[in-house]
């Protein structure tokens, strides 16, 4: 075929696709349904023109449609990676995880059930082998979300319904194609597998695809920063990723290429936004949406054009078999939806799916381009008999047409019949209230605009009258807002705060005031905050926002490396990351408090806004405490980070000024580019984060410790060789009561709290704890916790004894103090147990010691409990802000009532929320009173 002819046909198809979009909107049909209809008509017309004896004038162009220059393998390789990858990019992956259980059931289990139902239902009637019937079942088990999701968006169906259907189709394509390939190999004799071996092969293909796709996506993401401010290059790299992943997985890694592309798209969607600018990410999405639209439309049209060829020779028995396929497929889907999903809900796995959603999901199982493409591959397979090939292609094509023409045209009326296109009462009440506020603001701005532009009052009055009428109508319905419980309104407000925080993170990233290293953590956090708020209300919000204040697994591993192997760099990096994270976290809390006062308060009222304000202030106080704990240990580094943040803000403001000057034609392009180059040089300097020195050099710690300051250098060096520096975090359990003593600890900086059965003592710089058990061989008699970040010098038992023997004066000090300590502990029941409290080694008068310890006691919080949050820095100032101390009793009663309502609702749902909010508030009150 000549290239110009093929190019002309391609252009004709694109024109058809573009003209069908407005027609589909006018007719109220999904575009894919109309594409299938028109494609089938094109195929029928082309077949008639090619084989009619009346004329040969159209044979050349008709032959292109009847025998297109694309086979099934080319269609799969060209179109499928694009469709899978783009779907992965558009999904809200974090929200998908809320419904991961029903999605996996619908995507994987439903495919297996449908394959079995259809295969075994056809086998007694078809006259072909069971493998051929199962092959057909696998082909038609895959659903196509394009038409369904288009209908959902057109009528405003619930977002969760769309996520479940899209998530299902994304994964069941992978499951169906894997099963199809294995069954096809078994049917053609290329592979002989038992049922168990087939299941193992499916699992290996799935797992391998996930690993390969995730690995390749991480490599691509790591390359994105090299293309900073080059969105076209970033889009090109993203386009290469699905194709490269598909080819590598299918041809070399021997894993599921479909699963690999889905995995790559998911990972790219999760971590890509943190590596490129928000504007570049939006541009990438826009390009991918256009590419996906072309691919989806062309594959639908091309597959539909082949329908007449596939259904050639359709007989009455085929109609009966098609009816069996339709009934079996619907029954299999019903068994999964109405049988397995409730079991998941009963077991507490995933959120429940209501009956209306189940009905729509059942009826929305339309098949599409993937099924037709697989049918084309069967028709082209040389090792399959004509009987099997015709049986599979005819029934698969007939089933696709039935679902598109019946399900596709009746799904929209079904959704409207079930009322799923309507807002729920909570959103309806919020809509009325917000509409009244918005129209009032618009009316005021129109009046100001009319005055500024000197428009006649007569004209202005007619326009303002319309807005007054609309505002009055909306205000008349605002009583619905009062019908909402405080629990509902607080949840609405918290969801708004969580969504706003995500937007603030992206704005800061766009302004380049936070690094890509931090933005990924923040996006994950804000996504989790929104998810927990939607599921658990205020308790979920508090749980989510407190989680990042804790020390995660990565931090603990870095801490272990420092203690066991003396590798301090990972710990320094983790601590610097925490420093940067907390500073931005505090800034976000400030901005959310302002957002709550400006935007949420007028919408939800003062009572709810006050509760949200208290929630945000508690979060802000805990964040400030965590920052102050770090600042006490590393004040210079805290100042350096804050200075760096301000410099980033300054650079962004400077860039904005230059851009505005260029837009207003105050400066030319050449001058603007020169100024921007200077800004970029300054920005690169600002983004170089200062290095954090943990201060864990043994020589410096030993020489600065009050116990060893007066010793000769030679003795200090001998001691230094036996000491091990150790870094402790706030709330860390350093010594446990009842353990055997294995080390003594010298405090180089920071503070600890010793909780003995009879008393509690706080120790600071220069103190020692844990030494008496080494001298007596007894057990620990108290728990010791770090109150803040501490730099300790640990000395193992044998080294401590050797040190005492070598330095008589030091030993005399320890023995003398131990004797005094034991006198303090004469009321203990077990005399051999050690009380690890050792006072400061000093010869100052007691009054001076008390005067020096007084500031420390003022800065440190009161006695904590073992159940206290380990991440709250106890040596930071615990005085809450005035607005907390002055919180009204009425607000506290409202908070308690709302939390009680949340707990009751969660208990009814079988998932009682954690009472973190109440605990956190109680802790605040206890601290304030102390």
């Amino acid at each position: 075929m000549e290239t110009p002819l093929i190019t002309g046909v391609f252009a004709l198809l694109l024109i058809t696709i573009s003209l069908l979009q407005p027609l589909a909107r006018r007719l109220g049909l999904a575009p894919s349904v109309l594409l299938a209809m028109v494609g089938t008509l094109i195929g029928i017309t082309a077949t008639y023109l090619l084989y009619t004896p009346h004329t040969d004038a159209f044979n050349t162009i008709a032959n292109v449609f009847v025998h297109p220059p694309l086979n099934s393998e080319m269609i799969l390789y060209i179109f499928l990676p694009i469709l899978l990858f783009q779907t992965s990019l558009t999904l809200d992956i974090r929200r998908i995880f809320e419904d991961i259980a029903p999605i996996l059931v619908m995507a994987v289990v439903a495919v297996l059930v449908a394959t079995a139902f259809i295969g075994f239902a056809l086998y007694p009637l078809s006259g072909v082998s069971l493998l051929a019937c199962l092959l057909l079942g696998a082909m038609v088990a895959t659903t196509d979300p394009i038409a369904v999701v288009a209908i959902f968006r057109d009528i405003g169906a619930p977002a969760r319904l769309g996520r479940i259907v899209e998530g299902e189709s994304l994964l069941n394509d992978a499951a169906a194609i894997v099963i199809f390939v294995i069954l096809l190999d078994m049917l053609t004799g290329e592979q002989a597998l038992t049922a168990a071996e087939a299941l193992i092969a499916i699992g290996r293909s799935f797992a391998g695809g996930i690993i390969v796709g995730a690995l390749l996506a991480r490599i691509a993401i790591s390359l994105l920063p090299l293309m900073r401010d080059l969105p076209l290059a970033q889009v090109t790299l993203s386009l290469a990723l699905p194709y490269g992943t598909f080819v590598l997985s299918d041809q070399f890694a021997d894993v599921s290429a479909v699963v690999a592309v889905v995995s790559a798209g998911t990972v790219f969607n999760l971590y890509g936004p943190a590596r490129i600018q928000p504007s570049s990410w939006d541009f990438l999405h826009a390009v991918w949406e256009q590419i996906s639209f072309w691919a989806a439309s062309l594959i639908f049209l091309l597959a539909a054009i082949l329908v007449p060829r596939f259904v050639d020779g359709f007989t009455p028995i085929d109609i009966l078999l098609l009816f069996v396929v339709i009934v079996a497929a619907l029954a299999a889907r019903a068994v999964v939806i109405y049988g397995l999903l409730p079991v998941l809900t009963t077991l507490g796995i995933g959120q429940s799916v209501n009956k209306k959603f189940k009905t729509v999901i059942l009826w929305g199982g339309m098949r599409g381009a993937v099924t037709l493409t697989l049918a084309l591959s069967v028709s082209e397979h040389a090792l399959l008999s004509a009987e099997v090939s015709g049986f599979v292609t005819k029934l698969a094509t007939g089933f696709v047409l039935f679902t598109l023409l019946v399900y596709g045209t009746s799904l929209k009326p079904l959704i409207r019949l079930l009322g799923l296109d309507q807002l729920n009462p909570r959103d309806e009440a919020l809509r009325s209230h917000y509409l009244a506020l918005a129209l009032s603001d618009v009316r005021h701005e129109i009046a100001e605009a009319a005055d500024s532009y000197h428009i006649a009052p007569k004209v202005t009055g007619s326009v303002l009258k319309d807005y007054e009428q609309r505002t009055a109508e909306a205000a008349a319905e605002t009583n619905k807002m009062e019908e909402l419980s405080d629990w509902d309104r607080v949840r609405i407000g918290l969801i708004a705060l969580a969504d706003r925080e995500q937007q603030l993170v992206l704005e800061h990233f766009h302004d380049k005031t936070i690094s890509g290293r931090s933005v990924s953590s923040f996006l994950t956090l804000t996504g989790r905050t929104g998810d927990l708020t939607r599921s658990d209300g205020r308790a979920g919000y508090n749980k989510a926002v407190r989680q990042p204040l804790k020390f995660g697994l990565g931090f603990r591993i870095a801490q272990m490396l420092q203690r066991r192997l003396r590798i301090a760099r990972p710990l320094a990096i983790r601590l610097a990351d925490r420093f940067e994270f907390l500073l931005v976290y505090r800034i976000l809390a400030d901005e959310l408090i302002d957002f709550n006062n400006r935007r949420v308060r007028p919408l939800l009222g003062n009572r709810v806004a006050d509760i949200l304000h208290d929630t945000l202030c508690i979060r802000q106080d805990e964040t400030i405490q965590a920052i102050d704990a770090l600042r006490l240990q590393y004040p210079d580094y805290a100042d350096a980070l804050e200075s760096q943040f301000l410099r980033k803000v300054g650079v962004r403001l400077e860039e904005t000024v230059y851009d505005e000057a260029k837009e207003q034609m105050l400066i030319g392009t050449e001058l603007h580019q020169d100024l921007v180059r200077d800004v970029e040089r300054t920005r690169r300097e600002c983004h170089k984060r200062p290095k954090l020195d943990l201060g864990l050099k043994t020589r410096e710690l030993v020489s600065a410790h009050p116990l060893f300051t007066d010793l000769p250098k030679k003795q200090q060096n001998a001691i230094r060789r036996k000491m091990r520096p150790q870094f402790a975090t706030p709330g860390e359990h350093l010594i446990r009561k009842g353990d055997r003593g294995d080390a003594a600890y010298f405090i180089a900086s920071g503070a600890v709290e010793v909780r003995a059965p009879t008393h509690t003592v706080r120790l600071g710089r220069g103190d020692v704890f844990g030494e008496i058990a080494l001298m007596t061989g007894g057990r620990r008699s108290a728990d010791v916790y770090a109150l803040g970040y501490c730099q300790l010098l640990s000395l193992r038992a044998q080294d401590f004894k050797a040190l005492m023997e070598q330095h008589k004066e030091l030993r005399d000090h320890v023995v003398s103090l131990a004797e005094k300590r034991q006198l303090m502990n004469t009321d203990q029941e077990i005399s051999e147990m050690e009380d690890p409290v050792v006072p400061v080694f000093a010869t100052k008068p007691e009054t001076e010691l008390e005067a020096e310890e007084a500031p420390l006691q003022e800065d440190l919080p009161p006695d904590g409990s073992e159940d206290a949050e380990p991440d709250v820095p106890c040596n930071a100032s615990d005085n809450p802000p005035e607005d907390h101390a002055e919180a009204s009793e009425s607000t506290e009663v409202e908070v308690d009532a709302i939390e009680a309502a949340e707990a009751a609702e969660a208990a009814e749902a079988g998932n009682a929320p954690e009472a973190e909010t109440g605990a956190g508030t109680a802790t605040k009150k206890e601290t304030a009173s102390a």
Side-chain angles (χ1 to χ4, degrees):
M1 300 179 185
E2 296 182 357
T3 303
L5 178 61
I6 297 175
T7 306
V9 170
F10 178 72
L12 183 62
L13 292 179
L14 291 179
I15 294 173
T16 304
I17 291 169
S18 62
L19 294 178
L20 286 179
Q21 304 305 309
L23 181 60
R25 178 180 297 178
R26 180 179 293 273
L27 296 177
L29 294 174
S32 56
V33 174
L34 195 57
L35 282 171
M37 295 178 181
V38 173
T40 303
L41 290 176
I42 293 174
I44 294 173
T45 303
T47 304
Y48 171 78
L49 292 175
L50 181 63
Y51 295 109
T52 181
H54 301 293
T55 179
D56 294 331
F58 302 100
N59 283 7
T60 304
I61 190 171
N63 189 60
V64 176
F65 289 105
V66 176
H67 303 288
L70 295 173
N71 57 31
S72 60
E73 185 179 50
M74 294 172 67
I75 292 176
L76 286 175
Y77 267 81
I78 293 174
F79 297 113
L80 193 58
I82 292 177
L83 296 175
L84 295 172
F85 193 80
Q86 195 272 341
T87 304
S88 301
L89 282 182
T90 56
L91 288 179
D92 188 345
I93 299 300
R94 295 178 180 87
R95 298 297 305 278
I96 284 291
F97 286 133
E98 294 179 22
D99 293 299
I100 192 64
I103 286 174
L104 286 177
V105 168
M106 295 300 302
V108 180
V109 178
V111 169
L112 293 172
V113 173
T115 301
F117 267 54
I118 295 171
F120 285 100
L122 284 174
Y123 179 58
L125 304 172
S126 62
V128 296
S129 66
L130 177 61
L131 279 178
C133 297
L134 293 173
L135 181 69
L136 174 62
M139 289 171 56
V140 301
T142 174
T143 59
D144 195 312
I146 297 175
V148 181
V149 174
I151 293 173
F152 288 171
R153 291 172 180 170
D154 184 42
I155 65 174
R160 186 187 177 210
L161 186 58
R163 285 197 304 271
I164 293 176
V165 172
E166 281 192 292
E168 173 205 356
S169 66
L170 188 65
L171 296 177
N172 75 5
D173 280 350
I177 291 176
V178 169
I179 296 172
F180 170 80
V181 171
I182 292 176
L183 290 174
L184 185 62
D185 289 343
M186 295 173 63
L187 186 62
T188 56
E190 296 180 6
Q191 198 173 15
L193 298 174
T194 63
E197 291 173 340
L199 290 176
I200 293 174
I202 293 173
R204 184 189 65 80
S205 184
F206 258 82
I210 293 173
I211 294 172
V212 171
L215 180 62
L216 293 177
R218 292 296 293 183
I219 294 174
I221 291 170
S222 66
L223 297 176
L224 286 176
L226 300 177
M227 308 165 192
R228 184 180 289 111
D229 300 327
L230 296 172
L232 294 176
Q234 292 167 345
V235 171
T236 304
L237 178 64
S238 70
L239 184 60
L241 177 59
Y243 284 118
T245 302
F246 199 89
V247 173
L248 183 63
S249 304
D250 188 50
Q251 299 296 322
F252 300 99
D254 193 25
V255 297
S256 172
V258 176
V259 174
V261 172
V262 171
S263 175
T266 301
V267 173
F268 196 86
N269 187 9
L270 279 174
Y271 301 104
R275 296 304 183 99
I276 62 178
Q277 294 299 319
S279 57
S280 299
W281 184 256
D282 293 340
F283 175 74
L284 184 145
H285 261 277
V287 173
W288 267 101
E289 186 175 0
Q290 182 63 67
I291 294 174
S292 174
F293 170 73
W294 288 335
S297 302
L298 285 171
I299 194 173
F300 244 109
L301 205 54
L302 290 172
I305 289 172
L306 299 175
V307 166
R309 194 175 88 185
F310 291 158
V311 298
D312 184 34
F314 218 78
T315 62
I317 188 63
D318 293 325
I319 297 176
L320 174 62
L321 294 177
L322 177 60
F323 177 76
V324 172
V325 172
I326 293 170
V327 173
L330 197 62
R333 197 167 177 82
V335 166
V336 174
I337 294 173
Y338 293 101
L340 292 182
L341 291 185
V343 174
L344 295 179
T345 304
T346 304
L347 297 177
I349 304 174
Q351 300 182 35
S352 62
V353 181
N354 63 44
K355 292 182 179 180
K356 292 182 178 180
F357 278 23
K358 290 177 182 177
T359 303
V360 173
I361 294 172
L362 172 65
W363 200 250
M366 287 186 281
R367 275 62 171 180
V370 173
T371 300
L372 292 177
T373 305
L374 295 179
L376 178 60
S377 67
V378 169
S379 68
E380 296 172 349
H381 206 292
L383 298 180
L384 288 176
S385 65
E387 180 186 9
V388 171
S389 177
F391 165 78
V392 171
T393 55
K394 283 189 293 186
L395 292 183
T397 305
F399 185 64
V400 170
L401 288 176
F402 174 84
T403 59
L404 289 175
L405 298 178
V406 177
Y407 295 166
T409 55
S410 59
L411 186 60
K412 186 182 293 188
L414 175 64
I415 293 176
R416 287 176 174 161
L417 178 65
L418 296 175
L420 292 178
D421 58 334
Q422 305 295 323
L423 293 175
N424 59 48
R426 185 171 61 191
D427 290 339
E428 185 65 34
L430 184 63
R431 177 189 181 277
S432 301
H433 194 70
Y434 181 77
L435 185 61
L437 293 174
L439 290 176
S440 177
D441 292 340
V442 170
R443 180 190 176 280
H444 179 71
E445 292 183 7
I446 288 177
E448 291 183 348
D451 184 62
S452 300
Y453 297 134
H454 306 291
I455 298 176
K458 180 179 180 181
V459 177
T460 305
S462 62
V463 176
L464 293 180
K465 185 177 180 180
D466 293 338
Y467 275 95
E468 288 176 0
Q469 183 178 357
R470 293 176 61 192
T471 303
E473 292 174 356
E477 298 181 2
T478 54
N479 58 339
K480 296 180 180 178
M481 196 70 181
E482 300 299 327
E483 298 175 2
L484 291 179
S485 65
D486 285 346
W487 181 85
D488 282 329
R489 284 189 281 176
V490 167
R491 174 175 288 198
I492 291 172
L494 290 174
I495 292 173
L497 291 178
D499 293 340
R500 176 58 182 165
E501 186 170 9
Q502 188 171 46
Q503 187 62 34
L504 287 173
V505 170
L506 293 175
E507 289 177 4
H508 277 289
F509 184 53
H510 179 265
D511 294 340
K512 302 176 183 177
T513 51
I514 60 176
S515 63
R517 178 176 52 252
S518 298
V519 75
S520 178
S521 302
F522 278 111
L523 290 177
T524 302
L525 169 64
T526 53
R528 184 172 184 270
T529 302
D531 295 343
L532 287 179
T533 303
R534 288 177 174 88
S535 60
D536 297 336
R538 191 165 183 256
Y541 180 87
N542 285 323
K543 180 179 179 180
V545 298
R546 285 174 178 160
Q547 184 63 34
L549 299 179
K550 300 179 181 180
F551 297 96
L553 179 61
F555 194 96
R556 296 301 182 191
I557 293 175
Q559 196 175 16
M560 183 187 67
L561 291 174
Q562 184 273 322
R563 292 182 180 179
R564 303 287 178 84
L565 305 177
R566 300 192 180 186
I567 301 175
R569 179 170 173 77
L571 181 60
I573 293 174
R574 287 283 179 176
L575 202 59
D577 288 342
R578 179 174 175 81
F579 233 135
E580 182 180 356
F581 180 89
L582 290 174
L583 288 175
V584 178
Y585 203 48
R586 184 197 66 195
I587 292 169
L588 291 174
D590 294 337
E591 293 174 332
L592 288 177
I593 290 174
D594 179 64
F595 174 76
N596 177 58
N597 290 329
R598 288 188 301 103
R599 306 296 295 175
V600 178
R601 188 176 295 275
L603 184 63
L604 299 179
N606 291 329
R607 187 169 53 184
V608 173
D610 287 341
I611 295 173
L612 299 180
H613 180 81
D614 290 343
T615 302
L616 291 172
C617 286
I618 291 173
R619 164 186 166 176
Q620 186 184 47
D621 290 344
E622 292 174 348
T623 306
I624 291 174
Q625 287 179 355
I627 294 173
D628 288 344
L630 281 167
R631 186 184 296 278
L632 287 174
Q633 191 68 26
Y634 305 105
D636 294 337
Y637 190 77
D639 293 341
L641 281 183
E642 289 182 338
S643 174
Q644 183 189 46
F645 181 84
L646 285 178
R647 290 182 184 278
K648 291 178 181 179
V649 173
V651 169
R652 177 57 183 168
L653 293 174
E654 187 178 351
E655 185 180 40
T656 303
V657 170
Y658 299 153
D659 291 342
E660 290 178 352
K662 181 178 180 299
E663 291 174 0
Q664 298 169 3
M665 307 303 291
L666 297 176
I667 60 176
T669 303
E670 295 79 6
L671 177 56
H672 176 263
Q673 291 177 349
D674 182 71
L675 292 173
V676 168
R677 281 193 292 268
D678 291 340
V679 169
E680 286 300 325
R681 282 193 292 268
T682 307
R683 176 178 285 120
R684 283 193 291 270
E685 292 297 325
C686 292
H687 279 269
K688 292 179 180 178
R689 190 172 66 182
K691 292 184 179 180
L692 174 63
D693 183 6
L694 292 178
L696 295 179
K697 297 177 181 177
T698 312
R699 181 189 300 274
E700 297 175 1
L701 293 177
V702 170
S703 61
H705 198 283
L707 284 176
F708 312 120
T709 302
D710 298 331
L711 294 179
K713 291 292 182 183
K714 184 176 181 181
Q715 294 183 4
Q716 286 186 4
N717 292 334
I719 294 172
R720 176 178 58 83
R721 284 191 289 270
K722 297 178 181 180
M723 292 285 189
R724 297 180 67 90
Q726 183 171 321
F727 184 84
T729 56
E732 185 174 349
H733 204 162
L734 300 172
I735 285 181
R736 296 183 182 275
K737 180 181 177 181
D739 288 352
R740 285 287 183 184
D742 58 352
Y745 298 89
F746 300 79
I747 303 176
S749 67
V752 301
E753 184 175 74
V754 182
R755 301 172 187 172
T758 57
H759 54 275
T760 299
V761 179
R762 290 173 181 163
L763 307 176
R765 181 175 180 271
D767 289 346
V768 186
F769 61 93
E771 82 294 345
I772 297 180
L774 306 185
M775 300 175 63
T776 63
R779 294 181 180 273
R780 310 286 196 190
S781 65
D783 293 298
V784 181
Y785 291 87
L787 293 179
Y789 294 93
C790 302
Q791 292 171 337
L792 308 175
L793 289 168
S794 64
L795 196 60
R796 292 178 296 182
Q798 59 271 28
D799 293 332
F800 177 81
K801 293 177 182 178
L803 180 65
M804 295 297 101
E805 293 174 358
Q806 294 172 6
H807 302 281
K808 183 177 181 300
E809 295 179 357
L810 188 61
R811 182 177 182 277
D812 291 341
H813 276 299
V814 173
V815 171
S816 174
L817 292 169
E819 291 174 352
K820 294 179 182 179
R821 293 271 308 291
Q822 288 176 342
L823 290 176
M824 295 170 56
N825 301 329
T826 53
D827 57 344
Q828 287 186 228
E829 297 179 0
I830 306 176
S831 59
E832 80 230 8
M833 294 183 71
E834 176 229 355
D835 180 354
V837 180
V838 178
V840 178
F841 283 81
T843 58
K844 295 182 181 181
E846 186 173 347
T847 55
E848 293 183 21
L849 289 176
E850 292 175 354
E852 288 183 0
E853 291 175 359
L856 178 63
Q857 298 294 334
E858 292 175 0
D859 290 339
L860 297 176
D863 296 345
S865 64
E866 185 172 346
D867 294 332
E869 290 287 342
D871 56 328
V872 177
C874 300
N875 62 338
S877 175
D878 280 312
N879 295 325
E882 293 181 1
D883 54 350
H884 282 264
E886 298 174 0
S888 64
E889 293 183 3
S890 60
T891 300
E892 293 177 4
V893 171
E894 291 163 7
V895 172
D896 294 339
I898 290 170
E899 289 175 352
E902 290 176 346
E905 179 172 306
E908 292 177 3
N911 184 23
E914 300 179 17
E916 285 201 34
T917 305
T921 306
T923 302
K924 287 283 174 186
K925 294 177 182 176
E926 292 169 6
T927 303
S929 63

